[in-house]
Amino acid sequence: MVVSVLPRIAARRPHVLTIAPAPVTDDLLAVRLAAESEIARRGWPVADSPADADVVLVAGGLGRRMTALVRSVWATVPRPRVLVTVRSAGELGPGLDSAQERLARGGDSSDRDRVEWARSADVDLTDDNDGPPGVIMGGAGAPVMAGLADDDRDGLALDALHVALGPVLPHWPAALVVHALLAGDLVTDARAEVLDVPGPREVTRRRDAYTPDHVRLDSLVRVLGLAGADRAAARARALRDGEPAPGELAAFGHRLARSRTLAWTLGGIPLAATDHVAVPEPTVEARVRALAAGLGGSLAPPVRPAPHRAAAALVGLELGAARLALAAMDPDTALGAGPVEPFRPAERHEHHHHEHHG
Amino acid sequence: MTLLIMAAALGAVAVVTGIAVFVVDSMARATFLLLASFVAVAVLLLAFGLAYLGIVVVLMMTIEMMIMVVFMVMLMMNPAGLEPMTMVHNRAGSRVIALAVFVVLAAGALLVPWPTRPAAPGDPTTALGADLMGPQMLTMTVLGLALLATIVGTVALSVSPGSRR
Amino acid sequence: MADPATLLPLLLLAPALVVVAGLAAAGGAVTSGDRATAPVVETLRLLTKQRRRTPADDPLLARIGLTVLPVAAVLALAVVPVGLPGTGAPVDLEVGVVWFNAMEVLAWFAVWTAGWGPNAVTALVGGYRTLPLGLAYELPHMLAIITPAIAAGSLDPARISAAQHGLWYAVWMPVAFLLYLVSTAAMAFWGPFAAPLGRDLAGGAGAEHAGLDRLLLHAGRWMLLVAAAAMAVPLFLGGGAPPPITGPDPFSGPAWSWFAIKLLVVLALLLGLRRVMPVLRMERFATLAWVVLIPLAVAQALVVTVVVLV
């Protein structure tokens, strides 16, 4: 009896990992927003990573590379687990109901159902088998994990790490991959790619479907969520998904813009590391304040940079600061980016600290 | 007798984990084994009734390993560092140095005229403090404050805006 | 040691800590707008969930770390006078506060190896963040612990607790008490100091752990938080004794009842900290510790030392 009761209790609060394609149409954006809203309404937690997920929710139809990505992510989700795909906002309710029911009965099983070797944040993104571009490779044999960066300002050659960040990360722009070069936890180079959407391209949106306030609130949900200001993030999401009175929006924006703790937490992150200006605001703090202050007003929608511009602004930031910066800039992945030339692993020198076996 | 057996066992653990530090091919495992070696020595001190000294060895050595790891990750970013890597270089030189240091220390341990009287009465922690700090209190205090001021100053400088590239 | 009466508290220590940590987690769930049953459901969920590995990982090292975390929390609690008969602590140790601090420090090692093991960048950076966090908050933490010890003239938590019958140390050295609370949250990488398990790193050191591994990490964190909160009671709040202002004990219950009430207050303060502060970035928490908290801690220790000597 216990065997059947436990999964049922565990399935009462499934953690959901949502994977959404780039919002190249309003409908795709609508599915992603509806999914976030529905998961919050049910009180289900959002999974931090594939390791934390019970339900993998694919919100919208996917292209070839996103499909490959879902396949490799799914392979790393521990059982019991359920995969559910919805193509419209209307399918969400029944889809999540059935996911919970399947989870309570022990989850999906299939031939691919064993946990395979894979990572979560840096998944294999390509179909070819001799190593994806810009993705660190593991496994036995001769792993190529770290190359040598250019000489540091001190003349020391430091190890550098090539990683593909995203798109399965919390509060990360849909379908965006940032090919980054890391030295420690410092981003020393970054290039953007949007899976299945090579850029640059033009986007036309129905302006009436999503107001400037929707756009602002969606960016704020991400920044506040990443900053760990969970209550404010939940409030922003409720306002985004609901029908708030204009006064409510302005009051919320005013409170955010005035918050000293938030300003201190977000302070000191520049958004203008390069010559290419991604957004008009010089810092994350100013950007968030501008987003908050614009709520409930009649200002034009905030400037959302193209992904490659946003990625360039991450260079020189610590990883945590880079995440906040990206969320605050909130690049429009519908504009597309990439494809990206793979990073060439640096020539392997005999390092003063590394003496490799064999 | 029990104490002797325990001392021998803990000594063996310390030596074996100490040797293993140079055998394993991962920085993280080497760090872990080095800490294990120190903890074995700390337990030995505890068994001798030197509670304060033993616990401080655990405390300080763990912190020390952590500081080592900061540099390890900072200078050799290598996810999990599992790329096999030897913990030894300059083999010949290091052997000579290790042997010389061992001989000096072993000779010291054997030749020093250890006191044969029973331990002095009173709290060993207090005695240790008085012995270490008693004659040098002013020096220690000044050094400690200077060191702390240096650390705080360095951190304040390194986190000030514009220090990054 | 052979006496069953002395062994019983030791045997009950781990289960009791698990129960209180569960209650604290339920409080944390309610504070963040969740159901109070969430920790129970989460525990069952993680117990039924498969564990998981990543390519070229070091599962042995990771699992040693994940196991050390709850064990260190139990060992830290072992020297806290919780109001048992006798001196009050399950294990009576003359240098108890040093032992307690050493066990807390072992927990950083645990989180670091847990993050290192999976061989993935988010987990590695998460584990790495434990180190600057621990190093920055160990000094104010240690100074906050040592200050009551200086006033009481002993490293034994039971004696420190007994030394404040007239006046709680929380009143006489408020800065040290405040520093203890803040650095305790940092030692348990909780609330504003949760960067090692940060959402920006998809769960940081825990990003790649599933099932039992994940349960050990999260439960161990709550256990550590509770153990560290428990030490605040003997150090600053007079241990199991009733508040000095009430005169004779109004409840005259067992000593542990007062201990439990005070522990709940300390835990509530720590949970409240999560409400007022978002998660701090590394740059922010390092600045706060080194530039503000450590000088404050030194000043407080200096004041107390001078008063004790004069």
Side-chain angles (χ1 to χ4, degrees):
Chain A
M1 282 309 284
V2 177
V3 179
S4 65
V5 169
L6 275 187
R8 198 153 280 281
I9 298 175
R12 281 178 56 186
R13 205 168 169 277
H15 292 216
V16 186
L17 187 75
T18 309
I19 302 178
V24 285
T25 64
D26 282 347
D27 289 342
L28 284 175
L29 180 62
V31 178
R32 200 257 297 167
L33 294 179
E36 287 180 14
S37 167
E38 177 67 16
I39 291 163
R41 192 188 64 76
R42 290 167 181 249
W44 293 1
V46 171
D48 275 340
S49 66
D52 187 30
D54 303 301
V55 175
V56 175
L57 171 66
V58 176
L62 299 182
R64 185 181 64 87
R65 297 194 60 196
M66 281 299 284
T67 307
L69 174 108
V70 168
R71 195 172 294 133
S72 61
V73 167
W74 173 247
T76 73
V77 176
R79 282 189 297 177
R81 57 184 179 167
V82 171
L83 179 71
V84 53
T85 304
V86 294
R87 286 173 187 281
S88 70
E91 294 174 25
L92 262 169
L96 289 179
D97 283 341
S98 108
Q100 189 173 32
E101 188 50 41
R102 271 143 65 200
L103 199 62
R105 278 189 275 110
D108 293 356
S109 57
S110 74
D111 289 340
R112 300 198 309 268
D113 210 356
R114 69 201 165 83
V115 173
E116 288 163 27
W117 301 108
R119 291 187 185 83
S120 55
D122 37 4
V123 270
D124 186 329
L125 300 174
T126 52
D127 302 324
D128 52 336
N129 52 9
D130 62 344
V135 176
I136 39 170
M137 293 165 48
V144 182
M145 288 177 179
L148 291 182
D150 297 336
D151 278 1
D152 191 51
R153 55 191 167 187
D154 310 299
L156 276 171
L158 301 179
D159 278 5
L161 179 66
H162 308 272
V163 284
L165 298 170
V168 187
L169 283 173
H171 301 294
W172 185 267
L176 178 69
V177 176
V178 171
H179 297 273
L181 192 61
L182 296 182
D185 52 4
L186 197 69
V187 180
T188 56
D189 195 5
R191 285 178 257 175
E193 175 174 28
V194 178
L195 296 184
D196 295 320
V197 189
R201 58 190 287 281
E202 289 291 316
V203 189
T204 48
R205 285 241 164 80
R206 293 205 316 272
R207 288 283 169 221
D208 53 343
Y210 294 101
T211 64
D213 281 338
H214 272 118
V215 179
R216 289 193 184 94
L217 286 166
D218 196 29
S219 305
L220 285 172
V221 168
R222 288 190 169 140
V223 181
L224 295 170
L226 277 183
D230 292 346
R231 290 196 158 237
R235 177 85 181 123
R237 202 200 48 248
L239 288 172
R240 180 195 72 190
D241 300 334
E243 305 265 331
E248 254 184 301
L249 277 177
F252 177 68
H254 191 58
R255 216 176 63 227
L256 273 191
R258 253 186 355 188
S259 166
R260 281 202 204 158
T261 47
L262 190 66
W264 188 68
T265 317
L266 298 176
I269 309 174
L271 287 179
T274 56
D275 304 332
H276 305 287
V277 177
V279 287
E281 296 84 1
T283 62
V284 168
E285 187 194 343
R287 169 79 172 174
V288 170
R289 191 166 284 155
L291 288 171
L295 283 176
S298 50
L299 296 174
V303 177
R304 295 179 67 199
H308 72 276
R309 284 274 162 81
L314 304 181
V315 175
L317 296 179
E318 180 263 330
L319 201 50
R323 291 282 273 119
L324 285 169
L326 189 68
M329 289 184 283
D330 197 9
D332 189 354
T333 51
L335 297 172
V340 165
E341 280 288 301
F343 276 114
R344 287 273 153 255
E347 289 284 312
R348 292 205 67 81
H349 305 287
E350 271 307 304
H351 195 286
H352 57 288
H353 274 298
H354 296 208
E355 280 183 40
H356 300 284
H357 282 313
Chain B
M1 191 60 199
T2 330
L3 193 61
L4 203 65
I5 294 169
M6 198 170 158
L10 286 168
V13 170
V15 170
V16 169
T17 46
I19 291 172
V21 167
F22 299 97
V23 176
V24 293
D25 55 5
S26 133
M27 292 186 294
R29 289 186 177 186
T31 315
F32 175 77
L33 286 164
L34 192 54
L35 182 60
S37 182
F38 282 125
V39 169
V41 174
V43 176
L44 197 58
L45 290 170
L46 285 173
F48 284 157
L50 297 168
Y52 179 77
L53 215 52
I55 296 167
V56 160
V57 166
V58 175
L59 180 69
M60 296 325 279
M61 286 308 146
T62 313
I63 295 179
E64 208 157 282
M65 291 305 117
M66 293 296 95
I67 293 172
M68 198 167 89
V69 169
V70 173
F71 286 97
M72 203 163 94
V73 176
M74 205 159 64
L75 298 177
M76 293 179 270
M77 182 67 174
N78 178 353
L82 295 170
E83 185 176 5
M85 148 185 333
T86 167
M87 294 296 127
V88 193
H89 46 132
N90 185 15
R91 280 164 192 273
S94 57
R95 268 179 200 153
V96 171
I97 294 168
L99 206 67
V101 171
F102 177 77
V103 167
V104 169
L105 289 179
L110 292 175
L111 297 180
V112 164
W114 298 103
T116 48
R117 61 179 168 77
D123 183 12
T125 312
T126 316
L128 180 74
D131 246 18
L132 278 180
M133 300 291 276
Q136 301 294 345
M137 187 57 102
L138 191 65
T139 324
M140 290 289 199
T141 313
V142 172
L143 269 182
L145 276 179
L147 218 60
L148 185 67
T150 314
I151 299 173
V152 173
T154 315
V155 172
L157 282 178
S158 66
V159 298
S160 68
S163 62
R164 292 216 190 83
R165 68 203 204 118
Chain C
M1 281 312 260
D3 184 10
T6 57
L7 277 176
L8 191 65
L10 276 180
L11 290 177
L12 288 180
L13 196 60
L17 183 55
V18 169
V19 169
V20 182
L23 289 176
V30 172
T31 329
S32 60
D34 221 324
R35 288 197 196 99
T37 52
V40 177
V41 178
E42 276 297 289
T43 305
L44 292 176
R45 185 182 84 87
L46 289 176
L47 283 175
T48 55
K49 199 101 174 132
Q50 200 179 26
R51 294 208 280 188
R52 158 184 200 278
R53 284 184 59 188
T54 43
D57 58 349
D58 193 340
L60 179 68
L61 204 59
R63 281 170 191 164
I64 288 175
L66 291 166
T67 317
V68 163
L69 185 59
V71 170
V74 172
L75 290 178
L77 187 69
V79 297
V80 178
V82 293
L84 295 170
T87 59
V91 178
D92 187 22
L93 192 63
E94 232 168 74
V95 288
V97 295
V98 190
W99 169 271
F100 170 79
N101 195 218
M103 292 306 113
E104 282 182 309
V105 170
L106 272 186
W108 321 343
F109 198 87
V111 179
W112 173 67
T113 50
W116 176 279
N119 188 27
V121 70
T122 47
L124 176 67
V125 174
Y128 172 60
R129 283 181 184 174
T130 319
L131 310 177
L133 179 70
L135 292 172
Y137 285 85
E138 169 59 15
L139 276 180
H141 195 64
M142 198 192 275
L143 284 164
I145 291 176
I146 287 300
T147 310
I150 292 171
S154 170
L155 293 170
D156 184 346
R159 287 202 194 180
I160 297 173
S161 142
Q164 40 190 321
H165 271 313
L167 182 64
W168 283 0
Y169 285 165
V171 180
W172 138 219
M173 42 188 94
V175 176
F177 180 52
L178 208 68
L179 288 172
Y180 185 84
L181 288 182
V182 172
S183 57
T184 288
M187 287 286 138
F189 45 102
W190 188 83
F193 305 102
L197 301 186
R199 194 175 295 141
D200 55 337
L201 296 176
E208 305 291 344
H209 293 301
L212 186 62
D213 294 336
R214 199 178 187 82
L215 180 63
L216 283 173
L217 181 65
H218 288 269
R221 193 249 292 254
W222 279 106
M223 287 163 74
L224 192 65
L225 185 72
V226 169
M231 194 49 136
V233 178
L235 288 187
F236 295 99
L237 301 175
I245 44 166
T246 60
D249 192 344
F251 295 171
S252 68
W256 59 260
S257 61
W258 274 114
F259 177 86
I261 292 170
K262 292 171 184 177
L263 174 60
L264 285 181
V265 172
V266 175
L267 280 174
L269 288 175
L270 285 169
L271 292 182
L273 194 62
R274 173 76 188 81
R275 288 285 299 268
V276 295
M277 220 41 202
V279 179
L280 299 179
R281 281 182 293 133
M282 194 149 49
E283 191 184 315
R284 285 303 192 226
F285 68 62
T287 312
L288 179 68
W290 290 101
V291 180
V292 182
L293 301 186
I294 293 177
L296 268 180
V298 173
Q300 172 77 89
L302 201 66
V303 169
V304 171
T305 312
V306 168
V307 171
V308 168
L309 286 179
V310 170

